Amino acid sequence: MGRRSRARERAVAEAAAGSGTVPAPERRRRSWVQTLNPFKFRQLNRSRARAGAIGFGLAAVLFAVLGMVTGDVSWFSSAVLLGILTLAWGVTAALLGRGDSSS
């Protein structure tokens, strides 16, 4: 998928170089699906770990509230597991230096 678009960009750049005009580079917008893609591996830094901890914490609170509203115990167990993930990501964010990455 990515190869074709890069090949097209190179072909356009070569054609423009031959004609003497240089086209303006296209600005690609990042969609929300690309932002949430878990398979695009990025280095973990403090801000990403903090954002993960906040996200897991909010999900834990939401699941706990759903458990109270519905009276279903399974929501509480999910909230506890998300709380554990919140703690793990929070500790990771605290241990990472300002400019350090995990790898």
Side-chain angles (χ1 to χ4, degrees):
M1 289 184 339
R3 286 186 192 158
R4 284 185 245 140
S5 64
R6 283 188 227 125
R8 268 189 247 131
E9 289 174 5
R10 272 185 256 149
V12 168
E14 289 173 5
S19 66
T21 61
V22 178
E26 287 185 29
R27 297 190 72 162
R28 293 182 6 171
R29 287 181 33 189
R30 291 180 53 162
S31 70
W32 63 274
V33 175
Q34 288 175 335
T35 304
L36 298 176
N37 184 5
F39 300 109
K40 184 175 183 178
F41 297 105
R42 295 173 235 158
Q43 288 188 351
L44 183 64
N45 58 21
R46 179 180 267 182
S47 65
R48 284 194 183 117
R50 189 180 322 128
I54 291 169
F56 285 127
L58 290 175
V61 169
L62 174 69
F63 280 28
V65 168
L66 283 172
M68 283 188 261
V69 169
T70 62
D72 193 5
V73 179
S74 63
W75 289 108
F76 290 114
S77 62
S78 298
V80 168
L81 292 174
L82 285 167
I84 292 169
L85 281 173
T86 301
L87 290 174
W89 280 86
V91 168
T92 302
L95 293 178
L96 282 174
R98 204 168 277 266
D100 295 342
S101 62
S102 63
S103 53

